[in-house]
Amino acid sequence: MIKAAVLGFGTVGSGVVEVIERNNEIISKRVGDDLKVKYVLDLREFPGDPVSEILVHDYNIILEDPEVSIVVETMGGMNPAYEFTKKALLAGKSVCTSNKELVAEHGPELMRIAKEKNVNYLFEASCGGGIPIIRVLNTSLTAEVIEEISGILNGTTNYILTKMAADGSEFEDALKEAQANGYAERNPEADIMGKDACRKIAILSSLAFGKHLSWERIYTEGIADITAADIKYAKSIGCSIKLLATARSMEGGRYSVMVSPVLIGPDNPLYSVNSVFNAVFVRGNMLGDSMFYGSGAGKLPTASAVVGDVVELAKHPNDNVMMEWSEEPMDLIDQGMARSRFFVRVNGTAAGKLPDIQKVFGNVETISIPGFTDEFAFVTQEMSEQEYKEKEAKISGILNMIRARI
Ligand code: HSE
């Protein structure tokens, strides 16, 4: 019998207990042994809930029980999750988690401890909820040199942008609706400011490129400045605006990683990823393009990914599953050198202003839409961020700029 302990009986933790109970027969068959949750750790009481029978409030009970070989950390946040994870690994127990903050901050250290103790630290559910991408990077794509890993990694912002595009609503109204429908957290700052997607791309790019990328080093913009007008312009040329997290391999062993809203066209596989769905696009040098799509959040999809890790841990009791993520820092290009096209909205009329814009930006594509008489938009040729900034300073009346991959 394999015995696990679940730390935290919140949304994901209770989902883990539910998945293990409901699918116990098939899970135990796949493990090759019975799998049981022996303890659930939480500070709260759950009167009337069957979990009360296995509920403990003292972590030492789990730590000191030699029967518990797997610890499932679904507490979230940094502390005490970090301390509990470290203690479990040092005690020779394997750990799996959905905690992206912890993985992004301490992943390489925790993996090193796991390796030293010949156990494992797995985190499939930390990126893209139920989308199996971490194991794909660690197993199926190990013959590839990964050239790019990009994605829509945040369900809340994708829901908001999809809603704005469908209804023509402004950001604040779409956010309120997302909150009313339970899609956005009461404090959605980490989502809308791009920080949640930033942590996820830090994890994915560290695994794809094998070196540690601290999330604080990633240039990150959220979606709070995207307006209904921006989306109307994008739609008029058949494009959508998505919050993309992008990591690309550049020359000289360096990488370009950023999170920002991006205008994309229908030829981009991420174009039709709508609502709360997430998708991860991977370009390999042999494989070419591939994409992984699914529920990026939610109790049972996330819990399913966590339990997939539990099965993996149960199958590798004293055998470290190798992951390429060293503690050596990733070499990033200067953000000013990152290249793209730029969609720019500017006040005035094309007839009056275009000659000046062309003098600065050269050949641009202009966009005018009915009802917008005192402004228009243009899309530049590809250039570096630094070049764009220098040119932008020479133009007056810029209303908004969004990067464009079209
Ligand atoms: N707040 C996250 C999202 C949850 O909206 O995608 C999953 O990490």
Side-chain angles (χ1 to χ4, degrees), residues 98 100 125-126 128-129 153-157 183-185 191 196 200 276 278 296-298 302:
S98 56
K100 64 214 156 203
S126 65
L153 300 177
N154 182 267
T156 305
T157 46
Y183 292 128
E185 320 263 343
D191 294 309
D196 178 78
K200 291 168 180 169
V276 285
N278 283 194
T302 309

Side-chain angles (χ1 to χ4, degrees), residues 82-154:
Y82 174 51
E83 182 200 335
F84 286 3
T85 300
K86 219 166 160 174
K87 281 185 172 166
L89 295 170
L90 288 168
K93 300 178 193 295
S94 281
V95 179
C96 61
T97 187
S98 56
N99 188 336
K100 64 214 156 203
E101 288 96 333
L102 184 58
V103 177
E105 192 79 29
H106 295 291
E109 183 203 359
L110 296 169
M111 276 185 280
R112 176 174 45 76
I113 298 172
K115 198 173 177 186
E116 284 162 9
K117 291 286 170 186
N118 216 22
V119 289
N120 288 290
Y121 181 56
L122 301 183
F123 41 87
E124 182 61 71
S126 65
C127 297
I131 303 174
I133 181 64
I134 307 276
R135 202 159 293 116
V136 164
L137 288 173
N138 284 329
T139 56
S140 321
L141 298 183
T142 42
E144 290 295 316
V145 173
I146 309 266
E147 294 171 347
E148 174 172 348
I149 182 157
S150 299
I152 294 174
L153 300 177
N154 182 267

Side-chain angles (χ1 to χ4, degrees), residues 107-399:
E109 183 203 359
L110 296 169
M111 276 185 280
R112 176 174 45 76
I113 298 172
K115 198 173 177 186
E116 284 162 9
K117 291 286 170 186
N118 216 22
V119 289
N120 288 290
Y121 181 56
L122 301 183
F123 41 87
E124 182 61 71
S126 65
C127 297
I131 303 174
I133 181 64
I134 307 276
R135 202 159 293 116
V136 164
L137 288 173
N138 284 329
T139 56
S140 321
L141 298 183
T142 42
E144 290 295 316
V145 173
I146 309 266
E147 294 171 347
E148 174 172 348
I149 182 157
S150 299
I152 294 174
L153 300 177
N154 182 267
T156 305
T157 46
N158 205 38
Y159 176 87
I160 292 171
L161 291 173
T162 306
K163 195 81 201 139
M164 288 172 76
D167 301 353
S169 49
E170 287 294 351
F171 167 77
E172 288 298 339
D173 298 325
L175 170 61
K176 274 186 203 133
E177 187 167 332
Q179 283 172 313
N181 287 330
Y183 292 128
E185 320 263 343
R186 207 166 302 150
N187 180 4
E189 197 193 315
D191 294 309
I192 63 177
M193 303 308 281
K195 286 182 192 159
D196 178 78
C198 166
R199 290 195 174 96
K200 291 168 180 169
I201 196 69
I203 297 170
L204 291 177
S205 50
S206 296
L207 280 171
F209 306 132
K211 290 187 180 167
H212 181 58
L213 175 57
S214 162
W215 63 272
E216 288 119 319
R217 293 176 61 211
I218 300 174
Y219 178 82
T220 300
E221 280 178 19
I223 64 160
D225 293 334
I226 303 293
T227 63
D230 297 325
I231 291 182
K232 214 165 184 178
Y233 276 96
K235 276 176 92 171
S236 78
I237 53 166
C239 290
S240 61
I241 297 173
K242 300 288 186 191
L243 182 70
L244 292 195
T246 313
R248 290 191 237 184
S249 167
M250 311 299 282
E251 286 187 352
R254 295 195 299 160
Y255 298 90
S256 171
V257 185
M258 72 186 290
V259 176
S260 74
V262 181
L263 206 116
I264 55 175
D267 53 339
N268 189 312
L270 296 165
Y271 173 84
S272 5
V273 177
N274 286 320
S275 193
V276 285
F277 282 96
N278 283 194
V280 184
F281 166 86
V282 182
R283 176 171 292 156
N285 68 335
M286 299 292 143
L287 171 75
D289 296 353
S290 59
M291 197 165 88
F292 305 85
Y293 170 89
S295 295
K299 175 174 168 164
L300 292 178
T302 309
S304 169
V306 176
V307 179
D309 276 349
V310 173
V311 173
E312 191 70 1
L313 294 176
K315 284 159 95 173
H316 297 276
N318 294 302
D319 153 29
N320 183 256
V321 178
M322 176 67 190
M323 278 197 246
E324 203 206 343
W325 179 348
S326 83
E327 288 177 74
E328 191 187 332
M330 189 182 295
D331 201 358
L332 295 182
I333 63 163
D334 186 287
Q335 181 56 25
M337 297 296 110
R339 296 181 72 80
S340 72
R341 297 181 74 187
F342 296 86
F343 161 89
V344 186
R345 262 178 60 223
V346 63
N347 65 20
T349 60
K353 228 163 179 177
L354 198 54
D356 287 342
I357 289 171
Q358 282 170 330
K359 256 183 234 153
V360 176
F361 280 99
N363 196 15
V364 294
E365 287 168 33
T366 56
I367 315 165
S368 298
I369 51 174
F372 287 67
T373 48
D374 56 353
E375 63 163 86
F376 67 103
F378 62 93
V379 183
T380 71
Q381 300 301 309
E382 185 182 297
M383 63 186 72
S384 71
E385 299 254 330
Q386 178 64 33
E387 225 178 311
Y388 172 77
K389 261 190 201 155
E390 285 162 12
K391 292 183 190 298
E392 185 198 59
K394 295 180 187 157
I395 304 286
S396 63
I398 288 185
L399 301 169

